[in-house]
Amino acid sequence: MNTYIAIFAIALFASLVLTPIIRRLSARIGWLDKPLDDRRVHHQAIPRVGGIAILLSVLIALLALPLVDNLVTQSLLRDRWQLLTVFIPALLVTLLGLYDDVRGANARVKFTALIMAGTIFYAMGGRVENFSFPLMGSVHLPAVVSYLATLLWIVGVTNAFNLIDGIDGLAAGAGLFASLVVLVVSLMLGHAHVTVVALGLSGALIGFLRYNFNPASIFLGDSGSLLIGFTLAALSLQGSQKASTAVAIAIPLMAFGLPVIDTAFSMVRRFLSRKPVFQGDREHVHHMLLARGWSQRRVVFVLYGVSAALGLVSLLFINETSRLTGLILLVVGSAIVLAMGRLRYHEVDEIKASMKRNLTERRMRAANHLRIRRGCRAISKADSLDRLFSAVGEMLELGEFAYATLQLGSVADNGACEQALAREKGARSLRGAEIHDGMIRWTWERGDVEPALIIGSGQYWSLRLPLTNDRTRWGYVNLYRGFESKTLLLDINYLCQFFQREMTAAAERLLDESLREAEAQQLAMSASYGD
């Protein structure tokens, strides 16, 4: 135990000493994080490459181990290859991060380097070899599947910690809580090499947070966030080898919950919005909390609480049955979904609205669509204005609109509208019809609002459907609906396609007939005058 305490203390002290030195060197060389885009929340250039201080602090603590001879150091001497399995690719990842901090690297370069680091880790023996399925027991994975699973975990977790590094102290704090979980699990399972690395990383992160907490005087940079993510991903694989399903899967997922959830949710958001999946934005969890007016410190403390809670929950999976593991994951997953829903993500709101449309409103929408289809069929068969207006009125009884106006007529009217309306005078459905500017004007009311309170009130939106075809214009239909009304339970395309097409055809059919009759009467009258 004294050895473990010494490793932690050395890493902590080294971090407290090295971090300000790295900070001064970074400022002198010009390795600064400048606020060049709106994704950054700081307003002045801050030294970066804090990951160098963390890496050196952990290495100094571990290099002190040969100075002590006890059971722990003897065990580590036998497992030194496993330590190298973590640190050799971790060094490559840190160099990648340093290059990105200094020169900048695009997503393709970063993912290629992370895949190389994951491949080195796999080749040196760090891998997912067995997987336990409920009711099936442990299954030995084929080499290809093992390699792909290892890469997916290493690259995914590493990138998750990189993406969450958006405000002072967040990535370092999340990494600290995750490393403490890895530490506890490794102590309980007796993995000494995992324990010493987790202790060194914990001490280094605590020392670094002294300078990284808001207001930060140095940032992790990609060198630090990638180092933390890779190291934790690698340690979780090494510590879970030959362990139960809960330890191998549930504990790491829960311990790294905050960055993993944020990254997964970001990828889903960008996919739904048809944006590049790896394109940065200002809609991570911490950004959304800042948008609510929270200070950086408040956001960090809240997310620290989330990380700590997830870490504590993950420890419940040790020596537990798969049934309880599934129940806990279900409860935690439901809580995460509810919490994400409160952050006002447009994608979440749209998914909820889509579920509501599909589960609770589908039947009503189908009924409205069927009513429109039946109305359109009746309109297509209408051979008089009476039947036309009756069909339109029955269709509007679906109740989605408060008021409607219908105007029929053409440029070459020549009295056809007056004649058509006079021919059907007295029909019940034509009671609201009148001649206005030489055209037939018909109105429909739902009955709960006076028309005078609708037109020009600014409380209603209107949809105008022009009744036009290749030949001419035959009028239009205006539909009015209140802004405060409930969700429109129909697809507007049914109106813009089926209804508009049939109304145009009916208007042309009926007015053409009246127009021919009017022209015939005029010819007869002209002939009589000629006689």
Side-chain angles (χ1 to χ4, degrees), residues 167-224:
I167 57 176
D168 299 348
L170 181 56
L176 173 61
F177 287 109
S179 63
L180 291 176
V181 173
V182 172
L183 170 63
V184 172
V185 174
S186 64
L187 284 172
M188 298 181 69
L189 298 180
H191 297 297
H193 67 286
V194 176
T195 300
V196 295
V197 178
L199 274 170
L201 182 60
S202 300
L205 288 173
I206 292 175
F208 181 77
L209 278 171
R210 162 67 178 79
Y211 308 96
N212 185 235
F213 196 75
N214 183 263
S217 60
I218 185 172
F219 290 157
L220 277 173
D222 281 9
S223 61

Short mmCIF file of all heavy atoms in Angstrom, two decimals, residues 167-224:
data_model
loop_
_atom_site.label_atom_id
_atom_site.label_comp_id
_atom_site.label_asym_id
_atom_site.label_seq_id
_atom_site.Cartn_x
_atom_site.Cartn_y
_atom_site.Cartn_z
N ILE A 167 -14.45 23.15 -22.20
CA ILE A 167 -14.41 24.23 -21.20
C ILE A 167 -13.39 23.86 -20.13
O ILE A 167 -12.98 22.70 -20.01
CB ILE A 167 -15.79 24.48 -20.56
CG1 ILE A 167 -16.33 23.21 -19.91
CG2 ILE A 167 -16.77 25.01 -21.59
CD1 ILE A 167 -17.65 23.43 -19.19
N ASP A 168 -12.99 24.85 -19.36
CA ASP A 168 -11.91 24.68 -18.38
C ASP A 168 -12.20 23.53 -17.41
O ASP A 168 -13.23 23.49 -16.75
CB ASP A 168 -11.74 25.97 -17.57
CG ASP A 168 -11.36 27.15 -18.44
OD1 ASP A 168 -11.02 26.92 -19.61
OD2 ASP A 168 -11.40 28.29 -17.94
N GLY A 169 -11.26 22.59 -17.36
CA GLY A 169 -11.29 21.54 -16.35
C GLY A 169 -12.23 20.38 -16.61
O GLY A 169 -12.23 19.42 -15.83
N LEU A 170 -13.01 20.41 -17.69
CA LEU A 170 -14.02 19.36 -17.88
C LEU A 170 -13.40 18.02 -18.26
O LEU A 170 -13.67 17.00 -17.61
CB LEU A 170 -15.02 19.79 -18.95
CG LEU A 170 -16.14 18.79 -19.23
CD1 LEU A 170 -16.89 18.43 -17.96
CD2 LEU A 170 -17.09 19.33 -20.29
N ALA A 171 -12.58 17.99 -19.30
CA ALA A 171 -11.99 16.73 -19.74
C ALA A 171 -11.07 16.14 -18.67
O ALA A 171 -11.07 14.93 -18.42
CB ALA A 171 -11.23 16.93 -21.05
N ALA A 172 -10.27 17.01 -18.03
CA ALA A 172 -9.37 16.52 -16.98
C ALA A 172 -10.16 15.97 -15.80
O ALA A 172 -9.81 14.93 -15.23
CB ALA A 172 -8.46 17.65 -16.53
N GLY A 173 -11.25 16.65 -15.41
CA GLY A 173 -12.06 16.18 -14.31
C GLY A 173 -12.78 14.89 -14.64
O GLY A 173 -12.83 13.96 -13.81
N ALA A 174 -13.35 14.79 -15.85
CA ALA A 174 -14.01 13.54 -16.26
C ALA A 174 -13.01 12.41 -16.31
O ALA A 174 -13.31 11.27 -15.91
CB ALA A 174 -14.68 13.74 -17.62
N GLY A 175 -11.79 12.70 -16.80
CA GLY A 175 -10.75 11.68 -16.81
C GLY A 175 -10.35 11.24 -15.41
O GLY A 175 -10.07 10.06 -15.17
N LEU A 176 -10.34 12.18 -14.45
CA LEU A 176 -10.01 11.84 -13.07
C LEU A 176 -11.03 10.88 -12.47
O LEU A 176 -10.66 9.86 -11.87
CB LEU A 176 -9.93 13.12 -12.23
CG LEU A 176 -9.76 12.92 -10.72
CD1 LEU A 176 -8.46 12.19 -10.42
CD2 LEU A 176 -9.80 14.27 -10.01
N PHE A 177 -12.31 11.17 -12.63
CA PHE A 177 -13.34 10.28 -12.09
C PHE A 177 -13.29 8.91 -12.75
O PHE A 177 -13.47 7.88 -12.09
CB PHE A 177 -14.72 10.91 -12.26
CG PHE A 177 -14.98 12.07 -11.35
CD1 PHE A 177 -15.04 13.36 -11.84
CD2 PHE A 177 -15.15 11.87 -9.98
CE1 PHE A 177 -15.27 14.43 -11.00
CE2 PHE A 177 -15.38 12.95 -9.13
CZ PHE A 177 -15.44 14.23 -9.63
N ALA A 178 -13.04 8.89 -14.06
CA ALA A 178 -12.95 7.61 -14.76
C ALA A 178 -11.74 6.81 -14.29
O ALA A 178 -11.82 5.59 -14.10
CB ALA A 178 -12.88 7.85 -16.27
N SER A 179 -10.61 7.48 -14.10
CA SER A 179 -9.41 6.77 -13.65
C SER A 179 -9.58 6.24 -12.23
O SER A 179 -9.04 5.17 -11.90
CB SER A 179 -8.19 7.70 -13.73
OG SER A 179 -8.34 8.80 -12.85
N LEU A 180 -10.34 6.93 -11.39
CA LEU A 180 -10.60 6.42 -10.05
C LEU A 180 -11.43 5.14 -10.09
O LEU A 180 -11.21 4.22 -9.29
CB LEU A 180 -11.31 7.50 -9.22
CG LEU A 180 -10.47 8.73 -8.85
CD1 LEU A 180 -11.32 9.76 -8.13
CD2 LEU A 180 -9.27 8.33 -8.00
N VAL A 181 -12.40 5.08 -11.01
CA VAL A 181 -13.18 3.85 -11.17
C VAL A 181 -12.28 2.71 -11.63
O VAL A 181 -12.34 1.59 -11.10
CB VAL A 181 -14.34 4.06 -12.16
CG1 VAL A 181 -15.04 2.74 -12.45
CG2 VAL A 181 -15.33 5.07 -11.59
N VAL A 182 -11.45 2.98 -12.64
CA VAL A 182 -10.51 1.97 -13.12
C VAL A 182 -9.59 1.51 -11.99
O VAL A 182 -9.28 0.32 -11.84
CB VAL A 182 -9.68 2.52 -14.30
CG1 VAL A 182 -8.57 1.54 -14.70
CG2 VAL A 182 -10.59 2.80 -15.49
N LEU A 183 -9.17 2.44 -11.15
CA LEU A 183 -8.32 2.13 -10.01
C LEU A 183 -9.01 1.17 -9.03
O LEU A 183 -8.44 0.16 -8.62
CB LEU A 183 -7.92 3.42 -9.30
CG LEU A 183 -7.21 3.28 -7.95
CD1 LEU A 183 -5.88 2.56 -8.12
CD2 LEU A 183 -7.00 4.65 -7.31
N VAL A 184 -10.24 1.49 -8.67
CA VAL A 184 -10.98 0.65 -7.71
C VAL A 184 -11.19 -0.75 -8.26
O VAL A 184 -10.98 -1.76 -7.57
CB VAL A 184 -12.32 1.30 -7.35
CG1 VAL A 184 -13.18 0.36 -6.51
CG2 VAL A 184 -12.11 2.62 -6.62
N VAL A 185 -11.60 -0.84 -9.53
CA VAL A 185 -11.84 -2.15 -10.14
C VAL A 185 -10.56 -2.97 -10.22
O VAL A 185 -10.54 -4.17 -9.93
CB VAL A 185 -12.48 -1.97 -11.54
CG1 VAL A 185 -12.61 -3.32 -12.24
CG2 VAL A 185 -13.84 -1.30 -11.43
N SER A 186 -9.45 -2.32 -10.59
CA SER A 186 -8.19 -3.05 -10.70
C SER A 186 -7.72 -3.54 -9.33
O SER A 186 -7.14 -4.64 -9.22
CB SER A 186 -7.12 -2.16 -11.35
OG SER A 186 -6.83 -1.04 -10.52
N LEU A 187 -7.95 -2.76 -8.29
CA LEU A 187 -7.59 -3.21 -6.94
C LEU A 187 -8.40 -4.43 -6.53
O LEU A 187 -7.87 -5.39 -5.94
CB LEU A 187 -7.80 -2.08 -5.93
CG LEU A 187 -6.75 -0.95 -5.92
CD1 LEU A 187 -7.21 0.18 -5.03
CD2 LEU A 187 -5.40 -1.50 -5.44
N MET A 188 -9.70 -4.42 -6.86
CA MET A 188 -10.56 -5.53 -6.49
C MET A 188 -10.25 -6.78 -7.29
O MET A 188 -10.42 -7.90 -6.78
CB MET A 188 -12.03 -5.14 -6.68
CG MET A 188 -12.46 -3.96 -5.81
SD MET A 188 -14.19 -3.51 -6.02
CE MET A 188 -15.01 -4.94 -5.29
N LEU A 189 -9.79 -6.61 -8.54
CA LEU A 189 -9.49 -7.77 -9.38
C LEU A 189 -8.02 -8.17 -9.33
O LEU A 189 -7.63 -9.19 -9.92
CB LEU A 189 -9.88 -7.47 -10.83
CG LEU A 189 -11.38 -7.20 -11.07
CD1 LEU A 189 -11.63 -6.91 -12.54
CD2 LEU A 189 -12.22 -8.38 -10.62
N GLY A 190 -7.17 -7.37 -8.66
CA GLY A 190 -5.78 -7.73 -8.49
C GLY A 190 -4.90 -7.50 -9.69
O GLY A 190 -3.93 -8.24 -9.91
N HIS A 191 -5.20 -6.47 -10.49
CA HIS A 191 -4.35 -6.14 -11.65
C HIS A 191 -3.40 -5.02 -11.24
O HIS A 191 -3.73 -3.83 -11.35
CB HIS A 191 -5.20 -5.70 -12.83
CG HIS A 191 -6.11 -6.77 -13.35
ND1 HIS A 191 -5.65 -7.95 -13.88
CD2 HIS A 191 -7.47 -6.84 -13.41
CE1 HIS A 191 -6.67 -8.70 -14.25
NE2 HIS A 191 -7.80 -8.05 -13.97
N ALA A 192 -2.19 -5.38 -10.79
CA ALA A 192 -1.25 -4.41 -10.23
C ALA A 192 -0.80 -3.40 -11.27
O ALA A 192 -0.67 -2.20 -10.97
CB ALA A 192 -0.05 -5.13 -9.63
N HIS A 193 -0.56 -3.83 -12.50
CA HIS A 193 -0.04 -2.90 -13.51
C HIS A 193 -1.10 -1.86 -13.89
O HIS A 193 -0.77 -0.71 -14.16
CB HIS A 193 0.42 -3.67 -14.75
CG HIS A 193 -0.68 -4.35 -15.51
ND1 HIS A 193 -1.30 -5.49 -15.05
CD2 HIS A 193 -1.29 -4.03 -16.68
CE1 HIS A 193 -2.23 -5.87 -15.92
NE2 HIS A 193 -2.24 -5.00 -16.91
N VAL A 194 -2.37 -2.25 -13.88
CA VAL A 194 -3.44 -1.29 -14.14
C VAL A 194 -3.56 -0.32 -12.97
O VAL A 194 -3.75 0.89 -13.14
CB VAL A 194 -4.78 -2.01 -14.38
CG1 VAL A 194 -5.91 -0.99 -14.55
CG2 VAL A 194 -4.68 -2.91 -15.61
N THR A 195 -3.38 -0.85 -11.76
CA THR A 195 -3.51 -0.03 -10.55
C THR A 195 -2.47 1.09 -10.53
O THR A 195 -2.80 2.26 -10.26
CB THR A 195 -3.37 -0.89 -9.30
OG1 THR A 195 -4.38 -1.90 -9.30
CG2 THR A 195 -3.48 -0.04 -8.04
N VAL A 196 -1.21 0.77 -10.83
CA VAL A 196 -0.16 1.78 -10.72
C VAL A 196 -0.33 2.87 -11.80
O VAL A 196 -0.10 4.06 -11.54
CB VAL A 196 1.24 1.15 -10.80
CG1 VAL A 196 1.49 0.24 -9.60
CG2 VAL A 196 1.44 0.38 -12.10
N VAL A 197 -0.74 2.47 -13.00
CA VAL A 197 -0.94 3.48 -14.05
C VAL A 197 -2.12 4.36 -13.70
O VAL A 197 -2.07 5.60 -13.86
CB VAL A 197 -1.15 2.81 -15.41
CG1 VAL A 197 -1.41 3.87 -16.48
CG2 VAL A 197 0.07 1.98 -15.79
N ALA A 198 -3.21 3.77 -13.20
CA ALA A 198 -4.39 4.55 -12.81
C ALA A 198 -4.06 5.49 -11.67
O ALA A 198 -4.53 6.65 -11.64
CB ALA A 198 -5.54 3.62 -12.43
N LEU A 199 -3.24 5.04 -10.73
CA LEU A 199 -2.82 5.91 -9.62
C LEU A 199 -1.98 7.08 -10.13
O LEU A 199 -2.18 8.23 -9.72
CB LEU A 199 -2.02 5.10 -8.59
CG LEU A 199 -2.81 4.35 -7.53
CD1 LEU A 199 -1.89 3.41 -6.77
CD2 LEU A 199 -3.47 5.33 -6.56
N GLY A 200 -1.04 6.77 -11.01
CA GLY A 200 -0.21 7.84 -11.56
C GLY A 200 -1.02 8.84 -12.35
O GLY A 200 -0.82 10.06 -12.23
N LEU A 201 -1.96 8.34 -13.14
CA LEU A 201 -2.80 9.23 -13.93
C LEU A 201 -3.69 10.09 -13.03
O LEU A 201 -3.86 11.29 -13.27
CB LEU A 201 -3.65 8.42 -14.91
CG LEU A 201 -4.55 9.21 -15.86
CD1 LEU A 201 -3.72 10.13 -16.75
CD2 LEU A 201 -5.39 8.26 -16.71
N SER A 202 -4.23 9.49 -11.98
CA SER A 202 -5.08 10.24 -11.04
C SER A 202 -4.30 11.36 -10.37
O SER A 202 -4.77 12.51 -10.29
CB SER A 202 -5.68 9.30 -9.99
OG SER A 202 -6.47 8.30 -10.59
N GLY A 203 -3.10 11.06 -9.90
CA GLY A 203 -2.29 12.08 -9.25
C GLY A 203 -1.91 13.19 -10.21
O GLY A 203 -1.97 14.38 -9.86
N ALA A 204 -1.53 12.81 -11.44
CA ALA A 204 -1.15 13.82 -12.43
C ALA A 204 -2.32 14.72 -12.79
O ALA A 204 -2.16 15.93 -12.95
CB ALA A 204 -0.60 13.13 -13.68
N LEU A 205 -3.53 14.15 -12.88
CA LEU A 205 -4.71 14.95 -13.23
C LEU A 205 -5.10 15.90 -12.10
O LEU A 205 -5.50 17.05 -12.35
CB LEU A 205 -5.88 14.03 -13.58
CG LEU A 205 -5.76 13.29 -14.92
CD1 LEU A 205 -6.90 12.29 -15.08
CD2 LEU A 205 -5.76 14.29 -16.07
N ILE A 206 -4.98 15.44 -10.86
CA ILE A 206 -5.29 16.33 -9.74
C ILE A 206 -4.33 17.52 -9.71
O ILE A 206 -4.74 18.67 -9.52
CB ILE A 206 -5.25 15.55 -8.40
CG1 ILE A 206 -6.38 14.53 -8.34
CG2 ILE A 206 -5.33 16.51 -7.22
CD1 ILE A 206 -6.34 13.64 -7.12
N GLY A 207 -3.06 17.23 -9.91
CA GLY A 207 -2.09 18.32 -9.95
C GLY A 207 -2.32 19.26 -11.11
O GLY A 207 -2.21 20.49 -10.98
N PHE A 208 -2.70 18.71 -12.25
CA PHE A 208 -2.94 19.54 -13.43
C PHE A 208 -4.18 20.41 -13.25
O PHE A 208 -4.22 21.56 -13.72
CB PHE A 208 -3.08 18.66 -14.67
CG PHE A 208 -3.30 19.42 -15.94
CD1 PHE A 208 -2.24 20.06 -16.56
CD2 PHE A 208 -4.56 19.52 -16.49
CE1 PHE A 208 -2.44 20.79 -17.73
CE2 PHE A 208 -4.77 20.23 -17.66
CZ PHE A 208 -3.70 20.86 -18.29
N LEU A 209 -5.22 19.88 -12.59
CA LEU A 209 -6.45 20.64 -12.39
C LEU A 209 -6.20 21.91 -11.56
O LEU A 209 -7.00 22.85 -11.62
CB LEU A 209 -7.51 19.76 -11.71
CG LEU A 209 -8.30 18.84 -12.66
CD1 LEU A 209 -9.15 17.87 -11.86
CD2 LEU A 209 -9.18 19.67 -13.60
N ARG A 210 -5.15 21.93 -10.79
CA ARG A 210 -4.79 23.13 -10.03
C ARG A 210 -4.63 24.32 -10.97
O ARG A 210 -4.93 25.47 -10.61
CB ARG A 210 -3.50 22.86 -9.24
CG ARG A 210 -2.75 24.06 -8.74
CD ARG A 210 -3.53 24.83 -7.67
NE ARG A 210 -2.76 25.96 -7.18
CZ ARG A 210 -2.63 27.13 -7.81
NH1 ARG A 210 -3.23 27.32 -8.99
NH2 ARG A 210 -1.91 28.11 -7.28
N TYR A 211 -4.18 24.06 -12.20
CA TYR A 211 -3.93 25.14 -13.17
C TYR A 211 -4.97 25.15 -14.32
O TYR A 211 -5.04 26.12 -15.06
CB TYR A 211 -2.53 24.99 -13.78
CG TYR A 211 -1.45 24.87 -12.74
CD1 TYR A 211 -0.96 23.62 -12.35
CD2 TYR A 211 -0.91 26.00 -12.14
CE1 TYR A 211 0.03 23.50 -11.39
CE2 TYR A 211 0.08 25.89 -11.18
CZ TYR A 211 0.55 24.64 -10.80
OH TYR A 211 1.53 24.54 -9.84
N ASN A 212 -5.72 24.07 -14.43
CA ASN A 212 -6.66 23.94 -15.54
C ASN A 212 -8.09 24.31 -15.17
O ASN A 212 -8.92 24.54 -16.04
CB ASN A 212 -6.62 22.50 -16.08
CG ASN A 212 -7.48 22.29 -17.30
OD1 ASN A 212 -8.34 21.42 -17.32
ND2 ASN A 212 -7.25 23.08 -18.35
N PHE A 213 -8.36 24.40 -13.85
CA PHE A 213 -9.71 24.75 -13.43
C PHE A 213 -9.99 26.22 -13.73
O PHE A 213 -9.08 27.05 -13.72
CB PHE A 213 -9.90 24.45 -11.95
CG PHE A 213 -11.34 24.40 -11.52
CD1 PHE A 213 -12.14 23.31 -11.84
CD2 PHE A 213 -11.90 25.44 -10.81
CE1 PHE A 213 -13.46 23.26 -11.47
CE2 PHE A 213 -13.23 25.41 -10.43
CZ PHE A 213 -14.01 24.32 -10.76
N ASN A 214 -11.24 26.53 -13.99
CA ASN A 214 -11.62 27.88 -14.37
C ASN A 214 -11.28 28.93 -13.30
O ASN A 214 -11.59 28.73 -12.11
CB ASN A 214 -13.14 27.91 -14.63
CG ASN A 214 -13.62 29.26 -15.10
OD1 ASN A 214 -14.12 30.06 -14.31
ND2 ASN A 214 -13.46 29.52 -16.39
N PRO A 215 -10.62 30.02 -13.66
CA PRO A 215 -10.12 30.35 -15.01
C PRO A 215 -8.80 29.65 -15.29
O PRO A 215 -7.83 29.80 -14.53
CB PRO A 215 -9.96 31.87 -14.95
CG PRO A 215 -9.68 32.16 -13.52
CD PRO A 215 -10.44 31.15 -12.71
N ALA A 216 -8.73 28.89 -16.34
CA ALA A 216 -7.56 28.07 -16.65
C ALA A 216 -6.40 28.92 -17.13
O ALA A 216 -6.59 29.88 -17.88
CB ALA A 216 -7.92 27.04 -17.72
N SER A 217 -5.21 28.55 -16.69
CA SER A 217 -4.00 29.20 -17.18
C SER A 217 -3.25 28.33 -18.17
O SER A 217 -2.26 28.76 -18.78
CB SER A 217 -3.07 29.55 -16.01
OG SER A 217 -2.69 28.38 -15.31
N ILE A 218 -3.73 27.07 -18.37
CA ILE A 218 -3.17 26.16 -19.35
C ILE A 218 -4.24 25.16 -19.74
O ILE A 218 -5.08 24.79 -18.90
CB ILE A 218 -1.91 25.43 -18.82
CG1 ILE A 218 -1.27 24.58 -19.92
CG2 ILE A 218 -2.24 24.60 -17.60
CD1 ILE A 218 0.07 23.97 -19.54
N PHE A 219 -4.23 24.75 -20.98
CA PHE A 219 -5.20 23.77 -21.47
C PHE A 219 -4.54 22.41 -21.66
O PHE A 219 -3.32 22.33 -21.86
CB PHE A 219 -5.81 24.22 -22.80
CG PHE A 219 -6.72 25.41 -22.68
CD1 PHE A 219 -6.95 26.22 -23.78
CD2 PHE A 219 -7.35 25.73 -21.49
CE1 PHE A 219 -7.79 27.32 -23.70
CE2 PHE A 219 -8.19 26.83 -21.38
CZ PHE A 219 -8.41 27.62 -22.50
N LEU A 220 -5.36 21.38 -21.66
CA LEU A 220 -4.85 20.04 -21.97
C LEU A 220 -4.31 19.99 -23.39
O LEU A 220 -3.26 19.39 -23.64
CB LEU A 220 -5.98 19.00 -21.84
CG LEU A 220 -6.31 18.44 -20.47
CD1 LEU A 220 -7.56 17.58 -20.57
CD2 LEU A 220 -5.16 17.62 -19.93
N GLY A 221 -5.04 20.62 -24.31
CA GLY A 221 -4.71 20.45 -25.72
C GLY A 221 -5.06 19.05 -26.17
O GLY A 221 -5.42 18.18 -25.37
N ASP A 222 -4.95 18.81 -27.45
CA ASP A 222 -5.20 17.46 -27.95
C ASP A 222 -4.18 16.47 -27.40
O ASP A 222 -4.48 15.27 -27.25
CB ASP A 222 -5.16 17.45 -29.48
CG ASP A 222 -6.45 17.98 -30.08
OD1 ASP A 222 -7.27 18.50 -29.30
OD2 ASP A 222 -6.64 17.89 -31.30
N SER A 223 -2.98 16.95 -27.12
CA SER A 223 -1.96 16.06 -26.55
C SER A 223 -2.42 15.48 -25.21
O SER A 223 -2.13 14.33 -24.89
CB SER A 223 -0.65 16.82 -26.36
OG SER A 223 -0.83 17.92 -25.47
N GLY A 224 -3.17 16.27 -24.44
CA GLY A 224 -3.64 15.79 -23.15
C GLY A 224 -4.93 15.01 -23.23
O GLY A 224 -5.06 13.93 -22.64
#
